Structures are given as structure tokens and as C-alpha cells.
Amino acid sequence: MTAELGLAALWLAAALALLQIAAATLGLRREGALGEQLRGAVRPVAVAQGLLTAIAFAALLAVFSGSDMSVALVAENSHTAKPWLYKVAGAWGNHEGSMLLWVTILGLAGGAVALLERRLHERTLVATLGAQAVIALGFYAFLLFSSNPFARLSPAPPDGLGLNPLLQDPGLAFHPPTLYIGYVGISVAFSFAVGALVTRDVGPAFARAMRLWVLGAWIFLTLGITAGSYWAYYELGWGGWWFWDPVENASLMPWLAATALLHSVTVVATRDGLRAWTIMLAVVAFSMSMLGTFLVRSGILTSVHAFAVDPERGTFILALLALYIGGALALFGARVGTVRAGATFEPLSREGGLVANNLLLSVILGIVLIGTLYPLLAAAMGTQLSVGPPFFNATAGPIALGLVALMGVGPLLRWRRDDKDALVSRTLPALGTTLLGMAGFFALGGVTRPLPLLGLGLALGLAVASIAPLWRRNLRRTPLFTYGMVVAHLGIAVSLFGMAADSVFTEEKLVAAQVGQPVLVGPFSVTLQGIRPEIGDNWSALEGVLRVQRGEGTPFLLRPQQRFFAAPPTTTNETAIRTEADGQLYTVLGRQGADGRWQLRLWWKPWVTCIWLGGALVALGGALSLLGRLRRERQVRVDPHPTERWT
């Protein structure tokens, strides 16, 4: 009965979404007691809808953890011998389950807005919840009519087909949920924008309410992308951390749009500028998250990340994308004339720097979008081609470095207007650090390639510029969100350093190794001591035993594997990685040749861990900013006239 309970909860949630839309629409059109009653009904209906989605997802977790093979989704994506963690995480390691997770987070977010939001005018909040219900209703329809996660299977198989072995990793328990929370946070921001347009209430109050959701979404997108990058790095065994895979790009594009939106909504909230741009960026960010959903679930992509499904489902998602985005653009076009321009500012100002920042982010977003979609359009016209790392690195790379340079200057600018000579003096330490760093890496490190050399220098310069806003300040009285900005920008500097270092300092060895034969890679001597069998919960493996020594240091062992899964029949490479303070030794065991030698792929990757450390710092900076903004909200409630230092 668990599956039936989950399906019933989904139907009830869909019915409540329809009721929420009707109550919001009629409540906004009617005045008097009836209109007030209708508007008052929207909040509790949104909360009930969120609870029902939670019940539906709990039912899905129950049938997966209990290996209920009478549910078709469980039989197709699980196995009785699979470890418990992957039984549970496997609930969203498939198309239908991941969509139910999406809808659950969407419903819970709508309930949270209804319960917690007190900053918006009542009519704007009702319009926002109505827009959120419209989004939810489309996905309810998609699940119930096209992708039912609770469909029964008769007769039930004894074991099930199993989960894709590449997904049988703890990363599955973390990566998709964080991305989905980020996507849903963007959808809430989009609903805020639609609600503000409907009621013509685009202003600082709307922006302050919206900013917290944008910031929360951005934090989770950062965590999801960072975790996904490291997961692919150690799981796929190719030695890279980003391949510009279309599905990787599908998560990057919303992050780029959300980054631009976060900066823009901050200007509206604190300086009452960039109003129309903020609304447009909210539409663009949500468009990118919807486009990512279409790419991953339409079946038009072949990727380890994608859920290949039938074209009918892809058409359904495409119709939803056209409906939501087309409707939002139509509303924006109809109401943009009612959005006041807001406060003005000089080009040389903090606001001007943020505008330039958003322009560069938009250009990068456009490049990634074109590079992702162009091969699909060419294939539709009968031409097969691929767009890979060389294109993205050559086109987006230089613009990204320009963005980093601007990022170092932006926080040093004054609001409204600034003095050119004063700005130059404030940027001299960062500029000097960049030039000295480039000279040092060129002369001492032998780095001659222009882009990596510039990247290394800019990383050092940005690190200095990141902490500049703290100079000559009372650190105990500095707002927490200022620390968040500093940490986030410092994280970008750390990540950039790791990316540039990985591109120029990595050393790779591909060898056919005999047992007992040492191989030198970087500062390490690696010796294959033997191959032995290993047995896991639902796999068997050949494990290479590698004795590794760095200089005169203490030897240690690494154990890369070739794993064999029976359900479904799959062979995978399991890497073995040694993390040192200055980088990672990355090892992969290949096949045995006819001469008895074993293929080994070895990489020494100096400072590569800075890539993910920087990502974690960026997310931490976002979290500090979020806490600081929440603290400021409490301060405003206590003191309705906060001093300028709080902005």
C-alpha cells in the first residue's frame, strides 16, 4: 500500500496546486471580504501541498529501501544485493525518482515561502505563490501522466536490474539533491519576479525577500557543481575535473545566471537600481534551469549524467519550458514599462562594476549555451559534430579571466560614484601582486603559455584584492555578509589557482608495467607489487597493489581496481588517489596485455585540490552572507531605521 499512498499524495498535491492557482487568481481580482478570504486561503494550501509532496517522496524512499520489486521503478533501478545506501540514494538515481525529488523540494519551498515570508505586500506574496503553483502543476502533470514513479509491475521479479554502477557512489547521495535545491531556489526567485510584475511591486522590499532565495539557491548550486566535479574526477578515471559535457554545462549555465542575478538583486535591495535587469535575469536563470531539465531528461543527449528517456517525455518538458518561459517573457514585455528605472549611478561606481560583471557573465553564459546547443541543432539537420574543451577554453577562458580581473576591482569601488585616482591607489597592491606573480611563475616556474600564466597571476592578485575590503576596518563591527563576500571572492581566487596550476604543472605517465618495475611520475616512485582479487557487496574486482614513495619519505600503498558488476553487467575503473599538501597522485589500473604487463595511468597533479577547496570557500562565503542577511533582517525588525553601515 506504500506505493498507492505515494501516488494518492501526488494526486492530492496536484489538486491543491490547481486550487492554489484559482484562489490566487480570483483573490487578486476581487476586493472586499471574498477577495480577502481567497487570498488568505493561499498560504495554508501551499503548506498542505508541500506536506503532501513530502509524503509522496517518503513513500518512494520506503519502496526503494524495502526493495519492493512490484514497483516498476524499483525493479528497473535497484537490486536486493545492493548496499542499503545505494538503495536509498537510488530512489533519485533515475528519471522518475529524480523528478519526484525535484517536485518535493519545489512543494516544500512553496510551503516555506507561505510560512516564513513576511516582508512582501500581501498581494505580491499571493501572486508569488500562485506563480509557484503554476510551475508545480506542470511538473505534477508530467509525473502523473508521463513519468509515474509508483507504477506497478506484475509479476514482480525476484531481484531487479540494479543501478548504474557509475552511480553507486556516496556522491549520488549528495550531488543531485544539492543541485535540485539550487534549481528550486531559482524557481522561487522566478516566482517572486512574476509576482512583483503582476502586482507592479518591483522595488527594494521585493528584492530583499528575493535575495535570500537567490543566495540560498546559489550556495547549493555551488556545492552541487563542486561535488559533481570531484565525483566525476575520481569516478570516471580520465584524470580531468571538467569535460564541458553538455550535462555538466546544464548545471553551469543556471549558476552563471544566478551569479549575475545575485549581484543585480543586491543593487535593487540596497541601492534601488537595476530593477528591470533583475527581473530579466530571474527569467533567464529559471530558463537555464528548465533547459537543463530538458537536456538531461529528453533523451537527446548521450551522457553518463543523463537519463535517456523516450521522446514523448522530452516533448512534454519542452512544452513546459515554452509555456513557462514564453509566458514570463510575455509578462515581462507587457509590464516592463511599469518598472521604474530606480536610482541612477555613474559608470565608475560599485553599481557600474556590477553591471560590467553581469555583462561578462552573460557573455560567458551565451558562449556555453551556444556551444552546448549547436551540436544538437546540427544533428537535427543531419550533420554530426562535437564542440569540446578546445572551443570553450579558447572562447570562454579569456572572458573569464577578464571577469576575474573585474572581480578584484569591483569590491574596491564606491557606491554611486568614485574617483579614478583614488581607485587606482586602492588597486595598486592587487595589480602589483598580479604582475609579480606572473613574473615569478615565468622566471622560476617555466610557465610560458599566456592564459595559464595570466590565470596564476590573477589568482594571486584577486586573493589580495579579496581581503582589501577588510583593511582599516573594525573587524568586530564588520557585517557578516561583508566577510561572506571576502571569503567567496577568495574562494574564486583559490579555484582559479588550482585550475591554472593543473593545466601547466600536471605530469602524466601511461605505462605497461611489470610486477616490481618502478615508474617515476612527478616526485613519486610507483611500483606495481601485484594484482589480487577482491569481492564487494555486489561486485568483484582485480586490485592493483602499488607501492609509492616520495623521495626519502615513508612508503605507502595505493589500490586502484577494475570492478565487475553483474547487475547490470558493467566494468568500471576505480581510481586510487593520494592527496598531499601540494597536490594529488592519481592512479588508474588498466588491462593486462598479451605480454603479461599491466597498463597503468599515473598523474601527478600539483595544487589540483585548490579547485574544490575554492568551491567550498565560495559556498562558505555564500553561507556567511546568508546568515549576515538574516541577522540584518532581525536588526531591521528591532530598529526600523538601520544605519548606513548595515547596507
Side-chain angles (χ1 to χ4, degrees):
M1 293 297 293
T2 304
E4 285 71 20
L5 174 64
L7 187 58
L10 265 184
W11 276 105
L12 287 173
L16 287 182
L18 191 59
L19 177 61
Q20 186 174 325
I21 295 169
T25 303
L26 294 175
L28 290 173
R29 289 183 175 181
R30 294 181 180 269
E31 300 297 336
L34 179 58
E36 186 176 348
Q37 289 175 353
L38 288 170
R39 292 192 297 272
V42 172
R43 283 183 188 262
V45 170
V47 173
Q49 185 191 147
L51 292 175
L52 286 169
T53 59
I55 291 172
F57 191 70
L60 185 69
L61 292 177
V63 297
F64 263 88
S65 61
S67 296
D68 184 354
M69 297 299 166
S70 68
V71 177
L73 191 65
V74 180
E76 294 168 0
N77 296 278
S78 190
H79 194 279
T80 54
K82 192 167 62 175
W84 182 83
L85 173 63
Y86 304 137
K87 287 182 180 180
V88 174
W92 56 80
N94 55 80
H95 169 74
E96 292 86 351
S98 66
M99 290 307 300
L100 181 55
L101 175 61
W102 174 295
V103 166
T104 300
I105 299 172
L106 190 67
L108 292 174
V113 172
L115 282 174
L116 303 176
E117 184 53 55
R118 295 293 183 269
R119 289 156 295 195
L120 289 180
H121 297 116
E122 180 200 29
R123 298 178 66 86
T124 304
L125 178 60
V126 168
T128 297
L129 292 174
Q132 191 75 358
V134 171
I135 297 171
L137 184 62
F139 283 104
Y140 289 140
F142 180 65
L143 278 171
L144 292 169
F145 297 119
S146 182
S147 302
N148 180 7
F150 298 107
R152 288 291 188 180
L153 184 65
S154 182
D159 291 319
L161 299 179
L163 178 69
N164 183 345
L166 291 175
L167 299 179
Q168 295 188 36
D169 185 271
L172 181 63
F174 181 80
H175 172 58
T178 52
L179 278 182
Y180 290 173
I181 293 172
Y183 289 152
V184 169
I186 289 176
S187 80
V188 175
F190 171 77
S191 297
F192 273 109
V194 171
L197 279 177
V198 167
T199 60
R200 297 177 173 87
D201 187 27
V202 179
F206 137 81
R208 283 192 288 270
M210 179 184 179
R211 176 171 55 186
L212 297 180
W213 288 94
V214 176
L215 187 52
W218 183 79
I219 292 168
F220 279 99
L221 282 175
T222 302
L223 287 173
I225 293 172
T226 302
S229 169
Y230 192 68
W231 181 12
Y233 168 76
Y234 71 74
E235 180 65 30
L236 299 182
W238 66 286
W241 52 273
W242 194 265
F243 192 64
W244 294 103
D245 179 280
V247 182
E248 290 178 329
N249 296 347
S251 64
L252 177 62
M253 289 187 290
W255 184 87
L256 291 169
T259 303
L261 175 59
L262 180 59
H263 289 104
S264 185
V265 76
T266 298
V267 175
V268 181
T270 59
R271 300 292 167 175
D272 195 20
L274 304 182
R275 291 183 175 191
W277 200 343
T278 298
I279 297 294
M280 190 63 200
L281 283 173
V283 174
V284 170
F286 181 66
S287 302
M288 293 301 101
S289 66
M290 285 293 297
L291 178 63
T293 303
F294 171 71
L295 291 175
V296 173
R297 291 168 180 81
S298 63
I300 65 174
L301 293 178
T302 300
S303 167
V304 67
H305 307 84
F307 300 114
V309 296
D310 59 84
E312 181 183 346
R313 293 175 177 176
T315 303
F316 201 127
I317 298 176
L318 188 60
L320 288 179
L321 191 153
L323 175 65
Y324 294 150
I325 305 310
L329 289 175
L331 179 63
F332 179 79
R335 294 291 177 88
V336 69
T338 67
V339 178
R340 292 191 301 107
T344 59
F345 52 86
E346 296 293 330
L348 188 62
S349 63
R350 178 79 66 88
E351 294 94 331
L354 291 174
V355 168
N357 174 287
N358 285 357
L359 284 172
L360 291 179
L361 281 169
S362 299
V363 172
I364 296 172
L365 174 59
I367 290 171
V368 177
L369 180 64
I370 292 171
T372 303
L373 295 184
Y374 183 69
L376 304 178
L377 297 176
M381 293 184 289
T383 302
Q384 296 296 325
L385 55 86
S386 62
V387 175
F391 166 79
F392 291 105
N393 293 339
T395 54
I399 299 172
L401 291 179
L403 180 63
V404 170
L406 183 62
M407 191 184 305
V409 176
L412 303 179
L413 288 165
R414 306 297 187 195
W415 292 105
R416 304 294 190 202
R417 66 173 59 86
D418 205 342
D419 179 75
K420 180 176 64 175
D421 295 334
L423 177 63
V424 169
S425 66
R426 291 196 296 270
T427 57
L428 280 178
L431 178 61
T433 302
T434 298
L435 296 176
L436 287 175
M438 292 177 63
F441 283 112
F442 179 80
L444 303 177
V447 181
T448 57
R449 289 163 50 196
L451 285 183
L453 181 62
L454 183 58
L456 291 168
L458 281 175
L460 298 179
L462 179 58
V464 172
S466 298
I467 62 173
L470 300 179
W471 297 346
R472 299 178 181 177
R473 296 188 69 154
N474 185 333
L475 299 183
R476 297 181 62 182
R477 297 178 62 85
T478 299
L480 190 58
F481 49 78
T482 299
Y483 283 108
M485 178 190 68
V486 168
V487 173
H489 284 189
L490 182 61
I492 295 292
V494 173
S495 281
L496 176 61
F497 184 82
M499 295 171 191
D502 180 62
S503 69
V504 291
F505 297 133
T506 293
E507 181 179 341
E508 179 184 3
K509 287 287 182 70
L510 174 60
V511 297
Q514 291 180 331
V515 173
Q517 173 188 353
V519 179
L520 299 179
V521 56
F524 297 94
S525 173
V526 181
T527 304
L528 176 63
Q529 291 192 324
I531 305 292
R532 66 182 189 183
E534 284 289 329
I535 301 295
D537 292 331
N538 62 333
W539 51 264
S540 59
L542 291 176
E543 181 178 89
V545 180
L546 305 180
R547 182 183 184 274
V548 185
Q549 187 170 13
R550 182 172 186 171
E552 300 299 323
T554 304
F556 55 90
L557 298 179
L558 291 178
R559 305 176 188 273
Q561 295 178 341
Q562 281 188 30
R563 286 189 182 177
F564 309 95
F565 294 81
T570 311
T571 300
T572 66
N573 286 317
E574 299 296 318
T575 62
I577 300 174
R578 170 76 172 196
T579 301
E580 300 276 329
D582 57 344
Q584 287 186 331
L585 176 64
Y586 185 107
T587 66
V588 179
L589 176 67
R591 298 182 179 275
Q592 185 178 28
D595 58 358
R597 299 187 179 193
W598 289 86
Q599 292 181 358
L600 287 179
R601 295 193 72 179
L602 310 172
W603 285 270
W604 165 237
K605 305 175 77 65
W607 308 109
V608 70
T609 49
C610 289
I611 297 172
W612 305 290
L613 173 61
L617 286 174
V618 171
L620 175 61
L624 292 175
S625 294
L626 182 60
L627 291 174
R629 294 299 177 188
L630 291 172
R631 178 183 293 180
R632 180 184 183 276
E633 292 293 332
R634 289 195 296 270
Q635 172 71 17
V636 169
R637 285 195 290 269
V638 172
D639 177 9
H641 302 289
T643 59
E644 180 69 16
R645 67 185 178 86
W646 288 101
T647 61

